[in-house]
Amino acid sequence: VSKNTHGFVGSDLAALCTESALQCIREKMDLIDLDDDTIDAEILDSMCVTNEHFEHGLGSSNPSALRETVVEVPNVSWDDIGGLENVK
């Protein structure tokens, strides 16, 4: 996880952990009775956040430290540059 979280700050890592845990819960939703006030201990014991859950969470996370960094590619051709005819 650490290799894929360059530019993440503490709140980004917390959001990643939350999203990963929610993904784990989403996978078990068919086993959970939403009308019941509690969740069976067997279901809770079977839940385990794995690296695959973190990979899914990374797909929807953006690091805060890199959000302001935007790379712009200018739309400039050689015809727009004056002079240097021998280089063109």
Side-chain angles (χ1 to χ4, degrees):
V1 173
S2 65
K3 289 181 182 179
N4 296 323
T5 53
H6 173 73
F8 280 56
V9 296
S11 61
D12 296 332
L13 293 173
L16 174 62
C17 291
T18 300
E19 181 58 34
S20 302
L22 287 172
Q23 181 61 28
C24 180
I25 293 170
R26 285 184 200 108
E27 292 175 0
K28 300 287 185 177
M29 283 303 291
D30 57 334
L31 302 175
I32 299 172
D33 183 10
L34 297 176
D35 295 329
D36 200 2
D37 290 338
T38 60
I39 300 174
D40 291 337
E42 288 179 5
I43 296 172
L44 290 176
D45 288 340
S46 71
M47 289 186 183
C48 179
V49 179
T50 64
N51 196 38
E52 287 77 25
H53 296 122
F54 279 102
E55 288 175 5
H56 179 270
L58 282 169
S60 61
S61 300
N62 293 323
S64 296
L66 301 179
R67 277 191 199 131
E68 299 299 322
T69 305
V70 178
V71 177
E72 291 185 27
V73 178
N75 188 14
V76 178
S77 68
W78 281 108
D79 294 330
D80 298 330
I81 300 172
L84 302 174
E85 296 299 325
N86 61 341
V87 175
K88 292 183 193 178

